[in-house]
Amino acid sequence: MMKGKVAVITGGLSGIGKGTALVLAKEHLKIIILDRQDDKAPAVLQQIEKLGSTGDYQHCDLTKRAEVDRVFNDIQEKYGRVDYAFNNAGRGILSKPFGQVTADEIDGLIDLDIKAVMYCMINELALMTKQQFGRIVNTTSGTGLVAGKGMALYSACKHAVVGLTKAAALDYAQDGITINAVAPGTIATELILPYKESAPAEFKKWEASNPIGRLGKPAEIGHAVKFLFDDGSEFINGVILPVDSGCVAGTF
Ligand SMILES: NC(=O)c1ccc[n+]([C@@H]2O[C@H](COP(=O)([O-])OP(=O)(O)OC[C@H]3O[C@@H](n4cnc5c(N)ncnc54)[C@H](O)[C@@H]3O)[C@@H](O)[C@H]2O)c1
């Protein structure tokens, strides 16, 4: 039974995180969003409440360990537990040969795509171990499973999420906790839609990258996350689930 359980979603005010929050909202949960786009929060929380869950928004720069620890402290005081966690916030850079990547880009991506996931997981695992129950889903990418030309930095970060997910899954397998990841194909979100105007050639490539012939919808990732959170998914652990209409299944 999902009803009444506490879910944390990082990057839940936009794109895949928001789409997932809205899928989960139908399950009558307590949904806590960690993000930093404060202006977007009221509308998203309203949508969550309309669908039957309670919504809460905590401003948090996920790249700052102290902020993450503080927010999870607050969550512990207010809710006493976290049952489900979707560690999803992340970003990439426009593709270019690896030698042209800047030091700032390296730091920025490692901070958000790797370290922030680790900071959140450490806090989530502390609560979940006490409860002897928890479901963690991280967001990697198709480029976390196979390489993409011009994507070395992003691909390296998303491969790190894969390794983290698999190894941590083994650490907590006897604590009632499962740790899995979703690997989205190209999804129509605020992360990539602006490139339709600013980088049309790159956008065209992304659009064509899903074998189904269209961009994915955020709710289609949400559907997979809900499945991994489900009580019946207890035996699914350390899995990286591509949700990409077959993109990483092979060349097409
Ligand atoms: N969109 C795609 O095609 C695609 C494909 C594969 C993987 N992904 C991955 O999916 C995840 C979500 O991507 P999206 O497309 O929904 O992006 P998005 O930009 O639409 O949403 C990301 C959210 O994360 C938040 N965020 C970013 N940095 C933050 C920080 N430092 N602290 C707190 N919040 C922060 C943003 O405010 C935003 O609300 C990312 O990890 C991304 O790498 C996306």
Side-chain angles (χ1 to χ4, degrees), residues 5 7 25 28-32 45 48-49 52-56 79:
K5 291 212 163 78
H28 307 284
L29 304 175
K30 295 170 184 151
I31 298 176
I32 306 154
L45 294 184
I48 288 172
E49 307 256 342
S53 286
T54 63
D56 192 353
Y79 296 93

Side-chain angles (χ1 to χ4, degrees), residues 108-181:
L109 253 64
I110 287 179
D111 283 354
L112 181 63
D113 290 354
I114 305 178
K115 286 165 85 176
V117 178
M118 292 178 169
Y119 299 155
C120 289
M121 280 179 71
I122 287 167
N123 279 285
E124 291 152 6
L125 288 165
L127 288 165
M128 289 174 176
T129 306
K130 259 191 244 157
Q131 297 158 195
Q132 289 290 290
F133 177 82
R135 299 265 190 275
I136 294 176
V137 176
N138 297 325
T139 301
T140 177
S141 162
T143 51
L145 293 166
V146 294
K149 195 173 166 219
M151 307 280 282
L153 173 60
Y154 184 64
S155 189
C157 291
K158 291 301 188 180
H159 272 77
V161 173
V162 169
L164 173 67
T165 301
K166 288 182 179 176
L170 300 178
D171 290 345
Y172 294 91
Q174 296 196 2
D175 291 294
I177 299 168
T178 65
I179 307 175
N180 296 290

